[in-house]
Amino acid sequence: MQYTLNRGEKGRVEVKVDISKVAFVAAYGDIVEVISRDQKFPGFRPGKIPVNVIEDKIGVNKILNDAASFLVTKHLDEIFKKENITALGSPNIAVHSLAKDSPFSFTATLTAKPQVKLGDWKKLKVKRVKPKEVAEKDVSESIKNIHEAYQKQKVAKGTEETKESEGAGDGQPSFAKASEGQGKFIYDARGNKVFFKEKTKVAEESKGSKDGIDDEFAKKIGARDLKHLQELVRVDLEKIMADQVEAKLENELFDEILKLAEVEVPDILIDDEINRIVVRITQNLEQQNKKLDDYLKEENTTLDALRAKLRPQAENNVKITLIMDEIGKKEKVQVTREEIENAAKGVDQAKLDEKQKADLRNYMAVSIFQAKTLDLVKKAVAI
């Protein structure tokens, strides 16, 4: 077997493969032998069926195509391994010559996973700032937001769920969820669930406090008392602040890595990422009882225009993923079976078939690999 390989822009690869007459005749014979052994022909014992009988029954073209398919798969696997090529999707195969007792040649055209040229990323330094301290004012404002949303909800007595809040907050972080208590809930001013225990009309003011924010109100949304609610809100705000700092660090890190590394992203990967972003937008809109078409009308735009607007973001997302993947491989980041199994425990797999379970484990493995790689990089460059 001989081949020539040409690399084009954005991961395009073209491989022309020439297979000798001897090799193709041998592959043809192997296919005939398998048919003779595995299929039943009246009047003949398995493995003892003459070639001409098989050709008449099965068809020469069918045997030729099976032999060609076998050789295409076999030799492309060998070439991809030797040339360090990972195909994105199935290659397009163009057959140039296919005949009995003749050489066989074909060309495979594909998009390959791009190669990443890493700079010396370990020299990068990104400053980690301390999270903002949560002040009493922050806690009070958040509880006020929750109380305002609670009052504006129209909950029928005895129902299990409420409609989405009509009010809007002032942008302050708010209590995400009660750590104690179960049952009914409302949504606070930021759309988070707030659980409460008693069956009550929310328009009813709590007694014993001028603004209604007191122990009774705290109990209604799952806390033991107002002090406990303040503690829960403070913990929640501290986590929000810490997450914001971590997100800022990661964004700055990604910006620096993008400047340092070189990678040419194929259109197929950018389009896939745009599709994922659109799906997330659609899901977020559905949570607000909206549809994508309604959103597009409100923004006076089209789906094509939205996709075009998302393209730069999608390209950067793909670049970051490819760069971090390359760093993880270079640094020999490993994911253990135990880590995958522990991550999968949180997913209900009762209705999944074996393929779906395997896909889930692969997804978990990739997610853990990415998380461990990001953690490694942050520890190396954050100051």
Side-chain angles (χ1 to χ4, degrees), residues 136-189:
E136 291 298 328
K137 179 182 177 182
D138 298 323
V139 175
S140 297
E141 287 295 326
S142 290
I143 293 177
K144 181 181 177 182
N145 285 345
I146 297 170
H147 183 262
E148 288 177 353
Y150 180 85
Q151 293 297 330
K152 290 178 182 178
Q153 292 294 330
K154 296 180 179 179
V155 183
K157 186 176 181 179
T159 58
E160 291 297 322
E161 294 184 357
T162 65
K163 295 182 179 180
E164 185 176 343
S165 173
E166 296 173 358
D170 57 7
Q172 291 288 334
S174 59
F175 182 44
K177 60 182 179 180
S179 61
E180 297 184 17
Q182 296 179 347
K184 295 181 292 182
F185 62 85
I186 63 170
Y187 289 98
D188 68 15

Side-chain angles (χ1 to χ4, degrees), residues 279-296:
V279 168
R280 289 197 294 270
I281 291 173
T282 303
Q283 291 172 340
N284 289 336
L285 289 170
E286 288 174 350
Q287 292 177 358
Q288 304 172 46
N289 294 322
K290 292 183 179 180
K291 295 182 179 180
L292 181 60
D293 288 342
D294 298 331
Y295 169 78
L296 294 174

Side-chain angles (χ1 to χ4, degrees), residues 175 177-181 194-197 214-233:
F175 182 44
K177 60 182 179 180
S179 61
E180 297 184 17
V194 179
F195 291 87
F196 63 98
K197 297 178 180 179
D214 55 14
D215 290 344
E216 289 303 312
F217 166 70
K219 290 177 182 178
K220 288 175 183 177
I221 61 171
R224 292 191 297 269
D225 50 33
L226 182 57
K227 183 179 180 181
H228 183 222
L229 177 59
Q230 291 168 340
E231 292 171 355
L232 292 173
V233 169

Side-chain angles (χ1 to χ4, degrees), residues 194-213:
V194 179
F195 291 87
F196 63 98
K197 297 178 180 179
E198 298 180 13
K199 294 181 179 180
T200 180
K201 292 183 179 179
V202 295
E204 180 184 349
E205 281 284 351
S206 300
K207 297 180 181 180
S209 173
K210 184 177 180 181
D211 57 8
I213 300 176

Side-chain angles (χ1 to χ4, degrees), residues 1-3 16-28 63-76 93-108:
M1 181 270 294
Q2 294 181 330
Y3 71 92
K16 186 177 185 303
V17 182
D18 294 302
I19 297 169
S20 68
K21 173 183 174 180
V22 172
F24 187 73
V25 168
Y28 187 95
I63 301 171
L64 285 171
N65 286 328
D66 287 351
S69 179
F70 167 76
L71 290 172
V72 166
T73 301
K74 176 178 181 291
H75 290 302
L76 284 184
I93 306 298
V95 174
H96 303 305
S97 62
L98 179 60
K100 187 178 177 182
D101 298 326
S102 299
F104 170 53
S105 65
F106 67 92
T107 296

Side-chain angles (χ1 to χ4, degrees), residues 341-368:
E341 295 302 325
N342 287 338
K345 285 179 181 178
V347 180
D348 184 4
Q349 303 181 45
K351 296 182 180 180
L352 301 183
D353 58 30
E354 290 305 313
K355 183 181 183 304
Q356 290 171 325
K357 289 179 181 179
D359 289 342
L360 174 64
R361 287 192 291 271
N362 289 336
Y363 173 80
M364 294 294 185
V366 171
S367 298
I368 295 169

